[in-house]
């Protein structure tokens, strides 16, 4: 993952565990959340359900900080558990917004974890507040839970279908109440969610790498607009009425997801590797070595090297022990930390014409630092290549993005970007090339941060 915190940030990863063998589920949720930690490092939590009694433990920090290296998980009893790891924007960084959320509604406990962003939250909250409903947090997840609870007397499926008619935006949800585990994916399928199983366990998770963490087999992705309910009779599937088109987030493949995940049938590693190959065809450059920015730029660098015939090398060493504790609050402090996070290998770079591949160029501040580091290590030329097209617009669907005035490609030409970051040249994969790299159908993706074609209308008051 990007280690300069200069880029887009995923908002969270969710998981749900149902133990068929009735053993405690929380520790499996813990293992899965570990595998999803890259999706959010600011807060974490697990809610365990023992025959309808829900215990919820959550806090700020990495999973290992919230559970002090596993302590506290054993206290969470019950054969169903849901969990979440979260990244929050600066204004929302508050224990109150840590998830899962849980409520007591007419004697029934309900817990819910959410990955995504509801774009019409202000409108709906405003209507509810006018009718006297009070909210404890600024989180849209509380709204979802409120809307779900108000129709629960008609059954979970009805309650979810009703709330999905009201909210618009992205949501991958895990919910538990009674003796049930529920998974829901929004009608566009903007955020990923998949199902795994083995003889003892069902699991619903944001990415398939979480299934691997507990030895569950990948069953399938939750379909856009699908409700999955798991109880003692097994797995039941229901469909939300909608004519919405599938619009999976294209940026998941570029940057957010782990390379060992498969999302909607597409291998994240392979799509990044292919992107590198395509870039080598679209942006051929004479050079002595191709290097990647750890971690998400590496597969594309290997692909670029393979296709171009230029040797691949490890030119940057990442400090693996940089965790959340090092994430500094200001952009300036983040930039100052670059040298601690990445160190160049002078032996590899000195006197060379270097192609450096990053997953994306967002603000350009990271790129500027990278180019300088490589030049300072003795590189003769530095050619920067981005494995995603120019990022020209922000995201409203659950990804924290810099505003447009801070997106370098929204404001400068490619030649100007090269000059601004101090590179000999800058090149981007084309949008068509990136879609080809996934092997998927271009219509099935949201790619609004590259082309500003937002699949869900953005209210003016967002
Ligand atoms: S706007 Fe970009 S980051 Fe947001 S969902 Fe669409 S592709 Fe993903």
């Amino acid at each position: 993952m990007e280690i300069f915190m200069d880029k887009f940030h995923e908002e969270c990863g969710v998981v749900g565990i149902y133990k068929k063998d009735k053993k405690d589920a929380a520790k499996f949720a813990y293992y899965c959340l570990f595998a999803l930690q890259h999706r959010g490092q600011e807060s974490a939590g697990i809610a365990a359900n023992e025959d309808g009694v829900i215990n919820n433990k959550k806090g700020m920090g990495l999973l290992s900080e919230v559970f002090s290296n596993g302590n506290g998980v054993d206290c969470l009893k019950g054969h169903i558990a849901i969990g979440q790891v979260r990244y929050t924007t600066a204004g929302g960084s508050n224990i109150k917004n840590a998830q899962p959320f849980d409520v007591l509604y007419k004697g029934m406990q309900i817990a819910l974890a959410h990955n995504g962003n509801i774009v019409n939250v202000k409108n709906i909250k405003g209507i509810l507040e006018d009718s006297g409903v009070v909210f404890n947090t600024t989180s849209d997840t509380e709204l979802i839970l409120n809307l779900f609870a108000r129709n629960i007397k008609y059954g979970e499926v009805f309650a979810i279908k009703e709330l999905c008619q009201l909210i618009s935006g992205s949501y991958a949800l895990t919910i538990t109440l009674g003796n049930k585990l529920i998974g829901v994916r929004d009608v566009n399928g903007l955020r990923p969610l998949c199902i795994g199983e083995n003889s003892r366990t069902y699991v619903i998770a944001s990415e398939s790498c979480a299934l691997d963490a507990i030895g569950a087999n990948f069953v399938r992705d939750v379909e856009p607009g699908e409700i999955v309910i798991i109880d003692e009779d097994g797995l039941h599937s229901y469909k939300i009425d909608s004519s919405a088109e599938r619009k999976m987030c294209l940026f998941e493949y570029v940057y957010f997801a782990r390379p060992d995940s498969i999302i909607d049938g597409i291998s994240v590693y392979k799509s990044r590797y292919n992107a590198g190959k395509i870039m080598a065809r679209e942006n051929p450059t004479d050079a002595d070595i191709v290097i990647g920015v750890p971690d998400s730029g590496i597969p594309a660098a290997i692909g670029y090297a393979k296709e171009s015939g230029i040797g691949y090398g490890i030119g940057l060493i990442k400090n693996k022990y940089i965790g959340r504790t090092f994430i500094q609050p200001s952009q300036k402090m983040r930039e100052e930390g670059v040298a601690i996070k990445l160190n160049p290998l002078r032996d590899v770079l000195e006197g060379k014409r270097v192609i450096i591949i990053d997953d994306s160029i967002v603000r350009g501040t990271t790129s500027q630092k990278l180019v300088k580091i490589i030049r300072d290590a003795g590189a003769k030329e530095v050619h920067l290549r981005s494995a995603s097209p120019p990022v020209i617009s922000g995201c409203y669907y659950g990804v924290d993005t810099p505003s447009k005035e801070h997106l370098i490609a929204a404001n400068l030409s490619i030649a100007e970007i090269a000059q601004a970051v101090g590179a000999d040249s800058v090149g981007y994969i084309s949008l068509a090339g990136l879609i080809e790299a996934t092997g998927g159908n271009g219509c099935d993706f949201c790619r609004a941060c590259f082309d500003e074609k937002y699949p869900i209308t953005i209210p003016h008051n967002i």
Side-chain angles (χ1 to χ4, degrees):
M1 291 295 103
E2 166 58 36
I3 57 176
F4 296 139
M5 307 308 292
D6 165 23
K7 304 205 173 169
F8 285 15
H9 304 297
E10 182 55 82
E11 298 255 349
C12 31
V14 295
V15 69
I17 301 283
Y18 185 102
K19 291 293 293 169
K20 302 177 198 176
D21 57 13
K22 303 295 177 198
K23 296 215 166 119
D24 288 337
K27 99 174 158 194
F28 295 89
Y30 178 76
Y31 295 145
C32 289
L33 289 177
F34 243 108
L36 297 174
Q37 186 78 80
H38 60 285
R39 298 183 72 87
Q41 298 93 40
E42 208 156 289
S43 69
I46 297 172
N49 178 349
E50 185 174 34
D51 297 323
V53 177
I54 294 176
N55 278 303
N56 193 1
K57 180 171 165 58
K58 54 188 177 176
M60 302 305 287
L62 295 169
L63 191 67
S64 59
E65 294 168 325
V66 174
F67 289 94
S68 313
N69 296 316
N71 292 329
V73 178
D74 286 348
C75 305
L76 296 171
K77 298 291 177 199
H79 72 288
I80 306 169
I82 63 168
Q84 198 228 37
V85 286
R86 175 178 169 84
Y87 175 85
T88 44
T89 55
S93 178
N94 188 317
I95 182 67
K96 273 190 161 187
N97 289 333
Q99 297 193 25
F101 277 13
D102 64 287
V103 290
L104 182 65
Y105 180 77
K106 295 196 172 177
M108 179 191 291
Q109 281 189 282
I110 309 168
L112 184 147
H114 170 212
N115 173 27
N117 189 45
I118 305 306
V119 296
N120 61 344
V121 63
K122 279 192 187 152
N123 298 346
I124 301 180
K125 258 192 171 176
I127 294 167
L128 292 176
E129 282 168 339
D130 286 346
S131 70
V133 175
V134 291
F135 291 96
N136 276 317
T137 72
T138 54
S139 166
D140 51 1
T141 308
E142 190 183 13
L143 172 72
I144 297 175
L145 193 47
N146 185 298
L147 292 172
F148 176 65
R150 63 182 47 224
N151 277 310
I152 194 66
K153 59 179 174 285
Y154 303 112
E156 299 88 7
V157 174
F158 180 85
I160 292 166
K161 285 185 175 179
E162 283 295 296
L163 88 89
C164 293
Q165 299 306 325
L166 288 171
I167 58 175
S168 83
S170 64
Y171 45 95
L173 307 173
T174 53
I175 307 170
T176 185
L177 72 165
N179 272 309
K180 290 174 182 162
L181 170 66
I182 302 172
V184 185
R185 191 171 175 198
D186 67 71
V187 292
N188 295 104
L190 273 154
R191 304 261 74 89
L193 197 64
C194 64
I195 304 167
E197 186 182 7
N198 62 25
S199 59
R200 297 175 302 281
T201 309
Y202 281 111
V203 51
I204 299 171
S206 292
E207 288 183 39
S208 63
C209 64
L211 317 184
D212 301 334
I214 59 164
N217 302 313
F218 176 82
V219 175
R220 63 179 176 84
D221 292 284
V222 177
E223 288 298 310
E226 185 181 3
I227 304 163
V228 172
I229 299 188
I230 299 168
D231 59 21
E232 59 187 1
D233 297 324
L235 187 148
H236 318 271
S237 168
Y238 306 87
K239 193 84 185 128
I240 298 161
D241 291 334
S242 170
S243 55
E245 295 176 322
R246 180 186 284 266
K247 291 289 174 193
M248 173 67 200
C249 168
L250 189 53
F251 224 87
E252 288 276 355
Y253 298 98
V254 170
Y255 168 57
F256 301 136
R258 256 175 53 162
D260 50 340
S261 286
I262 294 172
I263 298 176
D264 285 351
I266 298 168
S267 154
V268 174
Y269 177 84
K270 219 165 163 187
S271 66
R272 289 179 190 168
Y273 176 80
N274 290 343
K277 288 180 88 174
I278 291 164
M279 237 189 325
R281 296 199 290 271
E282 291 184 344
N283 284 287
T285 308
D286 277 342
D288 304 309
I289 190 167
V290 181
I291 66 169
V293 180
D295 294 313
S296 41
I298 300 287
I302 294 170
Y304 192 106
K306 171 87 178 160
E307 186 71 12
S308 65
I310 302 167
Y312 168 76
I314 296 172
L316 294 165
I317 301 298
K318 176 181 165 182
N319 184 330
K320 293 187 171 61
Y321 303 99
I322 298 289
R324 180 192 147 271
T325 47
F326 194 77
I327 296 169
Q328 301 294 346
S330 74
Q331 184 64 24
K332 185 161 188 309
M333 289 174 81
R334 291 194 286 265
E335 289 167 22
E336 285 167 354
V338 168
I340 299 168
K341 294 172 182 173
L342 274 187
N343 209 17
L345 273 172
R346 181 171 278 275
D347 285 348
V348 174
L349 301 170
E350 194 159 29
K352 303 268 176 55
R353 296 170 299 162
V354 177
I355 297 175
I356 176 164
I357 314 269
D358 204 352
D359 54 71
S360 55
I361 303 170
V362 180
R363 292 172 192 262
T365 46
T366 293
S367 307
Q368 194 183 24
K369 298 284 172 192
L370 280 171
V371 171
K372 184 172 183 319
I373 282 173
I374 293 162
R375 279 207 200 282
D376 288 349
K380 213 159 62 180
E381 293 175 17
V382 184
H383 302 275
L384 177 65
R385 298 290 176 266
S386 164
S388 71
V391 176
I392 56 165
S393 199
C395 175
Y396 299 93
Y397 308 137
V399 175
D400 179 28
T401 51
S403 56
K404 197 159 178 151
E405 74 249 37
H406 297 299
L407 296 171
I408 195 167
N411 297 289
L412 300 181
S413 68
I414 290 181
E416 288 169 335
I417 293 170
Q419 201 179 17
V421 302
D424 292 282
S425 73
V426 165
Y428 290 86
I429 193 170
S430 66
L431 183 52
L434 177 59
I435 289 164
E436 184 192 335
T438 65
N441 176 351
C443 302
D444 288 349
F445 295 115
C446 171
R447 63 268 182 108
C449 44
F450 307 123
D451 67 4
E452 297 190 275
K453 291 185 181 147
Y454 290 93
I456 301 169
T457 310
I458 311 300
H460 297 301
N461 61 350
I462 193 166

